[in-house]
């Protein structure tokens, strides 16, 4: 395991696991995490610690708890079909975990992050376990670089077809369903979700498309949610 030190010692553990079992595209080898369960659960045991109660800490906790929830459901973990999904698990986002001394579900942790930090970019840092969600980053988040990292994951998401596609001929923008589910959060401080997206797009061709879509008021539609498990 790397000897490099971070602002939260547990970051080394996550980086070791993510480097082994999360692809650059954000797909997860859940069986790998089960194989390294002794190391993984050592990290999870630290989530109730008083240390590291920061935005990076909570994002890392959320992402790790999604993985934990998958590997602890044998029916999901060993489901051989591509259509295996977290939504087939009763209470997947509502079962409680202990994080920093508080009992909360994944859904409650997500709401806590929004209420506390009021930054929609955080929503794109959460790997929810299904393919339409933002991809899981294969490096843990850290306090020292959290601002840069949130910008990076947001930029990567909106520049990808997973984030949105634009049909110039059909005068239509098709957005990821997260932009509909969390519309109010993404609009906070912006005239619309499209304005939020426009701020973060960097691919030149897409910048031009978004400018056209915004000025000509293209129809906004949403991609169909792909609930398939985000596994390798």
């Amino acid at each position: 395991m790397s000897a490099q030190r971070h602002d939260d010692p547990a970051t080394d553990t996550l980086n070791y696991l993510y480097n082994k079992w999360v692809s650059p595209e954000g797909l997860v080898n859940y069986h790998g995490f089960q194989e390294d369960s002794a190391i993984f659960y050592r990290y999870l045991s630290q989530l109730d610690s008083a240390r590291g109660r920061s935005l990076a800490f909570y994002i890392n906790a959320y992402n790790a708890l999604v993985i934990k929830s998958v590997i602890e459901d044998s029916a999901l973990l060993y489901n051989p079909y591509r259509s295996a999904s977290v939504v087939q698990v009763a209470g997947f986002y509502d079962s409680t975990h202990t994080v920093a001394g508080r009992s909360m579900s994944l859904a409650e942790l997500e709401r806590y992050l929004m209420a506390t930090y009021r930054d929609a970019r955080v929503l794109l840092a959460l790997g929810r376990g299904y393919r339409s969600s933002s991809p899981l980053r294969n490096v843990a988040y850290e306090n020292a670089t959290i601002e840069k990292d949130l910008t990076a994951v947001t930029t990567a998401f909106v520049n990808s077809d997973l984030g949105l596609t634009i049909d110039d001929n059909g005068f239509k923008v098709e957005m990821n369903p997260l932009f509909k589910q969390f519309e109010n959060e993404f609009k906070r401080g912006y005239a619309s979700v499209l304005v939020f997206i426009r701020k973060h797009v960097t691919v030149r061709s897409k910048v031009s498309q978004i400018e056209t879509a915004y000025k000509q008021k293209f129809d906004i539609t949403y991609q169909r949610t792909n609930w398939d498990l985000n596994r390798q």
Side-chain angles (χ1 to χ4, degrees), residues 17-30 33 131 135-139 230-232:
L17 293 168
Y18 284 177
N19 182 257
K20 284 182 72 176
W21 306 123
V22 181
S23 74
E25 296 76 30
L27 299 178
V28 182
N29 184 333
Y30 289 102
F33 276 91
R131 287 180 178 262
L136 177 64
R137 202 171 85 128
N138 65 348
V139 180
N230 63 336
R231 60 185 173 185
Q232 293 180 21

Side-chain angles (χ1 to χ4, degrees), residues 2-26:
S2 170
Q4 185 179 359
R5 299 306 299 264
H6 302 278
D7 49 79
D8 177 0
T11 300
D12 283 322
T13 302
L14 276 184
N15 282 335
Y16 170 76
L17 293 168
Y18 284 177
N19 182 257
K20 284 182 72 176
W21 306 123
V22 181
S23 74
E25 296 76 30

Side-chain angles (χ1 to χ4, degrees), residues 86 93 128-133 178 181 225-228 230:
V86 295
Y93 295 105
R128 296 172 179 79
Y130 60 93
R131 287 180 178 262
S132 277
S133 178
L178 288 174
Q181 181 181 356
T225 302
N226 183 347
W227 292 107
D228 292 351
N230 63 336

Side-chain angles (χ1 to χ4, degrees), residues 164-167 171-175 194 197 209 213-214 218-222:
L164 78 156
T165 58
I166 301 173
D167 180 358
F171 301 98
K172 181 175 69 175
V173 178
E174 190 172 51
M175 294 184 183
L194 192 60
I197 292 171
Q209 285 182 309
Y214 182 74
F218 280 18
D219 289 336
I220 304 296
T221 62
Y222 297 93

